[in-house]
Amino acid sequence: MKFGKRVRSLASPEWTADYVDYKALKREIKLSFSGTDNADKRVMWFRSLLESEMQKLNETHARILDELMNRELKPLQQTLGTRWVLSHATARSLLLDVLSLSHKVDAFRRFVVLNSLAIVKIAKKFDKATNSEGEIEDNSAATSRLKAIVLEGLKCQPFYDAASLDALCDETAALTDRVMLCVLPDYNFRLGPRALSSASFSLVSALSSRANRRSS
């Protein structure tokens, strides 16, 4: 499957409009080589497009992080507080909310990874197109010209900084542990940092095991 289609297939529906428009950028590359600009002007022009995309990603990243951290995670943490014993109805409701948040956090991590890859891959595609035009004699220079610049630029972007996302993942995993222990106090488990995708599977396995013990 081509990368553009893979991104669309893995994109989270609620953030579809916020992903890098990989297909449109490919189209821009083709259009740029139909003009008369030289290689340096093309590089400057396409670099400005990618910088605009990265700025858009920074704004989206900040918005999603705020939503997940301040509007979803913290209220759930406050609801649980320091309690370890909850009524069945409260624990079940809280667990469903926490697992829903876990899936969103996992989707957020995927959002960051896919968009970072899209920026790098489209820069590489631009370099390849430049090289195929014979405008740069040294092939190694052609394939690293814009891609190398983009890779350095990515390191300075807030959306590429893993610290805030890792903190969100760790806090969500810790909260999920707490809530699941309230629901299943006799079930010995630990999700561990950033192992959010296993939360649902752990819950289903535990409930199945408990049901089997009761029926036997």
Side-chain angles (χ1 to χ4, degrees):
M1 183 184 294
K2 291 186 176 181
F3 181 75
K5 290 183 178 179
R6 184 177 296 277
V7 170
R8 290 194 294 273
S9 68
L10 295 175
S12 299
E14 64 268 38
W15 305 321
T16 300
D18 298 309
Y19 282 78
V20 170
D21 195 339
Y22 190 79
K23 186 176 181 179
L25 289 173
K26 284 176 62 178
R27 190 163 52 246
E28 291 291 345
I29 291 175
K30 290 182 180 179
L31 290 173
S32 71
F33 284 91
S34 64
T36 58
D37 289 340
N38 61 33
D40 289 336
K41 286 185 177 180
R42 287 173 182 165
V43 170
M44 291 177 61
W45 166 76
F46 199 70
R47 181 182 176 183
S48 69
L49 287 183
L50 296 187
E51 287 174 347
S52 296
E53 288 291 333
M54 287 190 282
Q55 181 56 39
K56 184 183 77 172
L57 289 174
N58 287 332
E59 294 170 358
T60 301
H61 180 274
R63 188 191 78 236
I64 297 174
L65 184 63
D66 177 68
E67 290 174 355
L68 296 180
M69 180 69 81
N70 297 318
R71 301 182 188 180
E72 297 203 35
L73 175 61
K74 287 185 178 179
L76 290 174
Q77 289 173 325
Q78 292 169 357
T79 298
L80 180 60
T82 58
R83 294 179 294 174
W84 286 93
V85 178
L86 300 171
S87 68
H88 178 74
T90 300
R92 184 176 182 278
S93 175
L94 190 57
L95 180 59
L96 291 175
D97 289 339
V98 170
L99 291 178
S100 175
L101 173 60
S102 296
H103 287 304
K104 291 179 182 178
V105 171
D106 188 54
F108 184 33
R109 179 180 289 279
R110 190 166 61 247
F111 174 87
V112 173
V113 171
L114 287 174
N115 281 295
S116 299
L117 283 174
I119 292 290
V120 174
K121 286 182 74 67
I122 200 66
K124 182 179 179 181
K125 188 172 288 291
F126 178 86
D127 286 335
K128 184 178 179 180
T130 301
N131 183 51
S132 67
E133 284 288 306
E135 297 187 18
I136 300 178
E137 294 181 0
D138 185 348
N139 288 346
S140 62
T143 56
S144 65
R145 188 173 188 178
L146 184 58
K147 181 183 174 182
I149 295 172
V150 167
L151 283 172
E152 286 302 311
L154 270 177
K155 297 175 184 178
C156 305
Q157 303 302 321
F159 80 88
Y160 194 72
D161 181 11
S164 56
L165 180 55
D166 285 347
L168 174 64
C169 290
D170 290 346
E171 288 194 45
T172 303
L175 179 62
T176 306
D177 275 353
R178 284 277 315 280
V179 176
M180 291 185 77
L181 285 172
C182 290
V183 176
L184 306 166
D186 60 336
Y187 182 45
N188 183 23
F189 76 98
R190 282 294 182 272
L191 288 179
R194 296 178 291 284
L196 301 179
S197 60
S198 64
S200 297
F201 178 77
S202 298
L203 175 63
V204 171
S205 298
L207 292 176
S208 297
S209 177
R210 173 170 287 192
N212 290 335
R213 289 200 302 271
R214 287 179 176 176
S215 61
S216 60

